[in-house]
Amino acid sequence: MALGSSNIPWIFKYRPRTLSDYIDQDEAKNKLIEWIKRFPNTEYKAVLLYGPPGTGKTTLVECLARDLGYEVVEMNASDFRRMQDIERIAIASADKAGLFGRRRLILLDEVDGINAKADLGGLEAVLRLIEVTRVPVIMTANDPWSPNLRPLRNVSLAIEVKKLSEGNVVKLLKKICLSEKIECDDEALKEIARRSEGDLRSAINDLESVARGVKKISLDYVREVLGYRDRERNPFETLGRIFSARSARAAKAAAGSSQLDNEMLMQWINENIPCLLYTSDAADE
């Protein structure tokens, strides 16, 4: 982990810079390395790197590029709104070398921000980019099963970045405390890690928040400073709670805790009702 100015937020100050610094994701790392080393002799010219927020998907791509000598051309969700932006930046870079002849890869961050209706031109441009590219294309998404992403799933290799285990989150928080010369009880670190639910970015932000102005952190102090936050549930958790609800009130509460807006939630429900009926029929046989 790299140290810098004390004014730098800890999520940047302690961000991994190499693949060896990037822990607990060996399967994702190995699949990504194997794919990019074989490129362009691969089945897919694009990767869809997916996983919950805060698991370091973008950081993984940056570490890969740094270790293997790639220049990254990056676009994020706000750039997907206009077809001409994708054509001007990404497609224009898709058959060129980087500065000083370096190899180049294209990173499309947060592609689940694409709206299939509102951003139709942007989605078409991304598909065209994947079709014509001569350089690796890596896309990141929190929710790979969004109906909007079906066209992209069909033309890319899906690689999962999983939630970090609580133990690994605690281990990283301990390293930060050591670097910052902060004394923090093990139970306090476990509480921060438990609340993060595998979101390392959230855990580091919480640690920085409770450590501000103090040199010793206890479990009681963590609970006092952080309170009890309600975390949004991902689509799978939401659907599970809706379909298993025994009352309309319980189903409504489950819907209210979703990451999805109402329109997108209805799409998810409509697409998964046939699966639910199939499972029920099979159980009755």
Side-chain angles (χ1 to χ4, degrees):
M1 293 185 177
L3 297 178
S5 166
S6 59
N7 294 323
I8 299 175
W10 289 1
I11 56 170
F12 298 116
K13 186 175 181 181
Y14 294 101
R15 193 170 187 164
R17 292 189 56 80
T18 67
L19 290 173
S20 60
D21 293 333
Y22 193 96
I23 69 163
D24 199 29
Q25 300 289 353
D26 287 346
E27 185 176 355
K29 284 193 290 188
N30 291 339
K31 286 182 178 179
L32 196 56
I33 291 170
E34 180 183 3
W35 172 79
I36 202 167
K37 284 187 173 180
R38 291 177 56 199
F39 190 91
N41 300 312
T42 54
E43 181 180 359
Y44 298 103
K45 293 194 285 185
V47 158
L48 180 60
L49 195 64
Y50 70 93
T55 49
K57 298 180 290 294
T58 304
T59 300
L60 175 55
V61 178
E62 293 171 349
C63 290
L64 176 80
R66 192 174 291 113
D67 279 11
L68 299 184
Y70 279 86
E71 176 187 328
V72 179
V73 177
E74 181 175 353
M75 300 183 71
N76 60 39
S78 62
D79 299 317
F80 301 142
R81 299 291 182 258
R82 289 156 35 103
M83 179 189 295
Q84 55 265 44
D85 289 339
I86 297 175
E87 292 177 340
R88 176 174 54 86
I89 299 172
I91 294 179
S93 303
D95 63 352
K96 299 176 182 177
L99 292 174
F100 310 112
R102 293 176 66 196
R103 293 177 296 179
R104 171 176 280 171
L105 70 82
I106 296 172
L107 170 61
L108 304 180
D109 219 1
E110 301 176 345
V111 292
D112 41 352
I114 297 176
N115 185 297
K117 295 180 181 178
D119 305 322
L120 183 59
L123 180 60
E124 289 177 340
V126 173
L127 290 169
R128 179 167 171 262
L129 163 66
I130 295 171
E131 180 182 355
V132 304
T133 187
R134 295 184 181 179
V135 304
V137 175
I138 301 177
M139 304 173 287
T140 71
N142 296 331
D143 170 21
W145 309 115
S146 166
N148 292 339
L149 292 188
R150 184 183 291 111
L152 297 180
R153 290 198 303 270
N154 292 337
V155 295
S156 59
L157 171 65
I159 298 178
E160 181 182 11
V161 180
K162 299 176 182 178
K163 287 184 178 181
L164 271 71
S165 68
E166 186 174 305
N168 275 315
V169 173
V170 169
K171 188 184 301 182
L172 286 167
L173 296 181
K174 281 185 176 181
K175 289 183 178 180
I176 294 174
C177 288
L178 184 64
S179 295
E180 298 292 331
K181 297 181 173 56
I182 296 169
E183 184 179 349
C184 191
D185 295 343
D186 285 348
E187 291 305 313
L189 292 179
K190 289 178 182 178
E191 178 71 4
I192 294 173
R194 182 188 65 78
R195 288 166 179 263
S196 75
E197 299 182 3
D199 183 335
L200 183 59
R201 181 171 53 214
S202 172
I204 294 174
N205 281 334
D206 282 350
L207 177 62
E208 184 174 14
S209 176
V210 299
R212 192 171 293 122
V214 300
K215 287 298 180 182
K216 181 174 175 58
I217 302 170
S218 66
L219 175 59
D220 288 342
Y221 186 69
V222 167
R223 288 175 172 170
E224 177 185 345
V225 172
L226 296 182
Y228 288 89
R229 68 162 65 90
D230 291 326
R231 299 182 64 84
E232 291 184 330
R233 299 180 181 273
N234 69 39
F236 291 110
E237 293 172 317
T238 300
L239 289 183
R241 294 179 72 216
I242 290 174
F243 290 150
S244 63
R246 297 190 176 185
S247 68
R249 178 176 295 182
K252 183 178 180 180
S257 67
S258 174
Q259 298 170 344
L260 306 173
D261 59 34
N262 290 337
E263 181 181 354
M264 183 60 66
L265 180 59
M266 286 307 301
Q267 287 187 46
W268 270 86
I269 291 173
N270 290 334
E271 288 212 356
N272 283 276
I273 282 176
C275 299
L276 179 68
L277 295 175
Y278 175 81
T279 303
S280 299
D281 290 343
D284 292 337
E285 292 178 357

